[in-house]
Amino acid sequence: MSTDDLMSLASDHGTSPMQVGVVLLLDTSAGLDPTLLVAAIGRRLPGIPRLRQLLVKVPIGCGRPIWVDSANFTITDHVSVVACPGPGGMDGVLSVAAGLVRVRLPRGRPLWSASIVTGVDEGTSALVVVFHHVLADGVAGLAILGELAGEGAGSSDAGFPRPAPTRTQLARDAATRGLGTARNLPRTIARVGQALRQLRSSIGGQASRTSLNRPTGTRQRFKILSRDLSVIREVAHSHNATVNDVVLTAITGSLHHLLAERSEKTDDIIASIPFSSRDRTTARLLGNRSGAIPLRLPATEEPGERLRAIAGITKAARASPPGSSTAVLGPLFRLLATIGLLQRFVDHQRVIHTFVTNLIGPQSMVTIGGFPVVDIVPLTVVIGNVTVSFAVFSYRGKLTITLVADPDTCPDLDRLHLLLALELDQLSSSPGSPGVGEGPFVS
């Protein structure tokens, strides 16, 4: 396990497991036999070793937890079939997904699950995949998707399951890694310094007190908003910005207006933004190689001016080494977890208002088990006292934003959904942007 993996593991406390997922909407108009789809997924698993491995602790002095092959692995322990609740459609799928992503995956098995949702619409089914964050970050998740969408019989099963390493092997490996850690100490110290400077410059103080931060419970609700990616990209380019900058600009504006309607005022929103230290990886090299940077983003001003300001802030953040913030936050979270204070910290923190994660997915059609994937919706969970978060994913020229909220502490999610749509429309028609005739938003 990497230090970034350890941070994900240490953060898994309280009512919300550190789990993420995705909804793959499948074209099953040719007919669906769930058992054949399960078998097709099973054929791809040898190419993704981590999906058939357990995370196990090692004896004292033998290093970090390790991944070992699960001798009793059975795909039917991980893939199930459920019927879409009435009246069906994407709302029904999201209702199923909201329950699945919050069911804590058992540590005695590989840390993932998949559910085939039948009867979504005529000729449409869904595959809801959930995995623990320690298994993969966003970039690694794309590698998993790429392997599952591969054609053919998949990789060989030869050698599975491999025996777990002996205590002597673990101790020898831990000693070797210890020497490497000592040699890299100057680099580690420099990384800590970079992290402190990065966190100090990007936050600049505590988050303002708002109703966006309240201890969350066990329930969760999703809403999705979709846009033509080419339109958002044109808006970004016309302001010398990125697609992510446009999304952040719309999110900060919508949260500002939502708070105003709640009779609250804040001039900025602090959002935790993940930055990966790698552009791509393979299905055989998963785990986490990323860090999160809290960015203080302006929530007021005219949308175009706000976009230009946010573009400058994110550009400065990208100039720092990716993931360097983990050098400080990782040890801090592990220390708090060890002394039993992590949950209190995340339930009462005043560092951020929200989480926003953004991934660029495939821009051409992929298939799973021979079924075309017509849409992909990212999933995440509400954590600690952050009542609403955002997951963004682009696929086949379409940008999808998933709003995830605790319905008890954010009962006006529908209103936020509308405000976010209006913000995106206003950005698309602001001075300096191309004229757009998008029509109503897709939900």
Side-chain angles (χ1 to χ4, degrees):
M1 291 181 61
S2 70
T3 54
D4 294 351
D5 295 334
L6 288 174
M7 179 173 171
S8 293
L9 202 61
S11 302
D12 189 5
H13 288 265
T15 58
S16 297
M18 281 291 289
Q19 295 173 183
V20 293
V22 65
V23 172
L24 306 174
L25 209 60
L26 307 178
D27 178 356
T28 53
S29 55
L32 171 67
D33 182 342
T35 59
L36 294 180
L37 180 55
V38 173
I41 295 172
R43 288 193 294 272
R44 306 304 307 174
L45 294 187
I48 319 172
R50 191 61 49 82
L51 296 190
R52 298 191 299 174
Q53 292 179 328
L54 303 172
L55 183 62
V56 298
K57 294 181 179 180
V58 298
I60 295 175
C62 291
R64 302 167 180 168
I66 60 170
W67 296 94
V68 299
D69 288 352
S70 173
N72 300 317
F73 177 83
T74 304
I75 191 170
T76 51
D77 286 339
H78 296 269
V79 184
S80 59
V81 181
V82 298
C84 188
M90 184 55 81
D91 284 344
V93 175
L94 292 178
S95 175
V96 171
L100 292 172
V101 78
R102 293 195 62 108
V103 174
R104 195 175 294 275
L105 296 165
R107 290 289 178 89
R109 295 177 183 173
L111 295 172
W112 67 280
S113 71
S115 297
I116 301 169
V117 185
T118 61
V120 175
D121 278 319
E122 185 68 29
T124 304
S125 303
L127 183 66
V128 181
V129 182
V130 176
F131 55 87
H132 195 289
H133 210 309
V134 73
L135 191 149
D137 59 13
V139 173
L142 289 174
I144 293 175
L145 174 62
E147 182 65 27
L148 288 177
E151 302 295 335
S155 303
S156 170
D157 246 349
F160 179 85
R162 296 171 300 172
T166 66
R167 180 167 185 157
T168 299
Q169 291 171 324
L170 289 171
R172 187 184 302 122
D173 181 68
T176 301
R177 289 178 179 273
L179 291 174
T181 300
R183 285 194 297 268
N184 290 328
L185 184 58
R187 186 184 306 172
T188 302
I189 293 173
R191 189 178 181 218
V192 170
Q194 292 166 348
L196 290 171
R197 289 191 295 272
Q198 184 184 67
L199 293 170
R200 189 184 305 115
S201 63
S202 60
I203 301 177
Q206 290 185 325
S208 57
R209 292 186 181 274
T210 73
S211 55
L212 296 175
N213 293 119
R214 294 175 178 171
T216 55
T218 59
R219 298 202 303 147
Q220 183 161 297
R221 185 179 173 218
F222 293 120
K223 290 283 290 185
I224 61 173
L225 177 66
S226 299
R227 282 290 187 273
D228 185 329
L229 179 60
S230 65
V231 172
I232 302 300
R233 187 178 289 120
E234 288 180 22
V235 172
H237 290 175
S238 69
H239 290 83
N240 195 29
T242 67
V243 168
N244 194 49
D245 296 331
V246 175
V247 172
L248 290 174
T249 300
I251 287 173
T252 54
S254 62
L255 290 175
H256 172 74
H257 288 301
L258 184 73
L259 289 173
E261 293 181 1
R262 294 177 180 176
S263 300
E264 302 175 53
K265 179 181 178 181
T266 184
D267 293 332
D268 47 46
I269 297 292
I270 299 182
S272 177
I273 315 294
F275 286 83
S276 179
S277 60
R278 56 187 175 182
D279 294 328
R280 61 182 61 86
T281 189
T282 70
R284 293 184 176 275
L285 188 62
L286 301 181
N288 292 263
R289 297 292 187 277
S290 59
I293 304 177
L295 297 181
R296 185 179 294 272
L297 306 173
T300 56
E301 307 298 334
E302 179 271 332
E305 289 297 322
R306 191 187 329 133
L307 173 55
R308 282 184 280 272
I310 287 176
I313 293 170
T314 60
K315 182 178 180 180
R318 289 194 299 272
S320 301
S324 61
S325 61
T326 309
V328 170
L329 297 180
L332 172 61
F333 279 21
R334 294 198 298 275
L335 173 62
L336 291 173
T338 300
I339 62 179
L341 294 179
L342 181 60
Q343 192 58 42
R344 179 174 177 80
F345 170 77
V346 298
D347 282 346
H348 299 88
Q349 62 82 29
R350 287 189 56 202
V351 180
I352 64 167
H353 293 112
T354 190
F355 296 95
V356 183
T357 180
N358 192 343
L359 278 174
I360 302 173
Q363 294 309 302
S364 57
M365 178 83 76
V366 299
T367 62
I368 300 290
F371 297 105
V373 178
V374 296
D375 203 1
I376 298 179
V377 177
L379 305 174
T380 185
V381 294
V382 288
I383 297 174
N385 68 346
V386 177
T387 60
V388 61
S389 300
F390 305 83
V392 187
F393 193 86
S394 58
Y395 174 61
R396 296 178 62 219
K398 179 180 178 181
L399 184 79
T400 298
I401 304 174
T402 303
L403 297 80
V404 52
D406 177 342
D408 298 312
T409 55
C410 184
D412 41 7
L413 181 61
D414 289 339
R415 179 60 180 168
L416 177 60
H417 179 264
L418 176 60
L419 291 171
L420 181 57
L422 294 174
E423 284 286 325
L424 287 170
D425 288 341
Q426 191 170 1
L427 281 164
S428 299
S429 60
S430 64
S433 298
V436 181
E438 271 263 280
F441 55 84
V442 180
S443 63

